[in-house]
Amino acid sequence: MNENTTTKATIGEVRFSYCHLFTPEAVGESNDKKYSVVLIIPKTDSANLAKIKAAYTAALQAGISQKFGGKKPVGLKSPLRDGDETFTDADGIEKRLKGEEFQGCYYLNAKSSTKPGVVKRMKINGENKLVEVVDEQEVYSGCFGFASINFYAYNNAGNRGIGVGLNNILKTRDGDFLGGRSSAQTDFGGINLDAYDSPENWEEDLPE
């Protein structure tokens, strides 16, 4: 098995957040625009975590021999972050670093300079097929799916670590919007619209 394969992992089903899959965005102080997504993985998902560990270990071993001068850098941080991480603010109050959707989960930030493939499954002529997602609104922060990612070692002017590259995305199902956004069905589902709707707004089957 070659290095490119061992450093690659297809994980799912995971939850997507901070989706920039159709238009690249600059993150933080960097001016480099990249496609990216945050992958949220439950801590109980041992199968996906095992895949991530294997691919990370392969990338680390390659980095030790090719990027890090023969040894693991001191203080090297894993790209797999803890969603339950907290910090103490200026008033001495402990707060969560991430939102509640990250509770009980790990997360990865996967990026790419080239546009990832984004697909979904559809039944066409009785067969299930993977088709390209063209509507950007279909894949959003809060939906679920699979992600093809690869781990790689980097050493940029002494800044050494293991990064996560984004290959492709497969959306499997919808979920609640993250970041405070709600669906139109949620906002308006409890309103009694009978007093406001006109008969012409309703579609009915007419007799032949």
Side-chain angles (χ1 to χ4, degrees), residues 7 25 69 79 86 90 128 145 149 194:
T7 59
E25 297 283 344
T86 61
N128 287 321
I149 56 178
D194 291 343

Side-chain angles (χ1 to χ4, degrees), residues 4 13 15 23-24 32 35 48-49 53 62-63 69 91 108 119 131 138 144 152-153 155 165 178 183 188 203 206:
N4 184 57
E13 188 185 58
R15 198 174 192 187
T23 304
D32 296 333
Y35 301 91
N48 276 318
L49 293 175
K53 181 179 179 179
D91 297 322
L108 288 168
V119 298
V131 298
E138 284 195 60
F144 294 81
Y152 60 91
N155 186 350
L178 301 180
S183 68
F188 305 126
E203 294 183 4
L206 300 177

Side-chain angles (χ1 to χ4, degrees), residues 132-174:
E132 180 183 4
V133 175
V134 294
D135 183 357
E136 298 183 16
Q137 302 301 316
E138 284 195 60
V139 185
Y140 53 88
S141 296
C143 69
F144 294 81
F146 285 72
S148 170
I149 56 178
N150 65 281
F151 292 78
Y152 60 91
Y154 61 86
N155 186 350
N156 301 321
N159 182 23
R160 297 176 291 184
I162 304 296
V164 185
L166 174 61
N167 300 324
N168 300 297
I169 290 291
L170 164 63
K171 179 190 174 181
T172 52
R173 61 187 174 97
D174 290 313

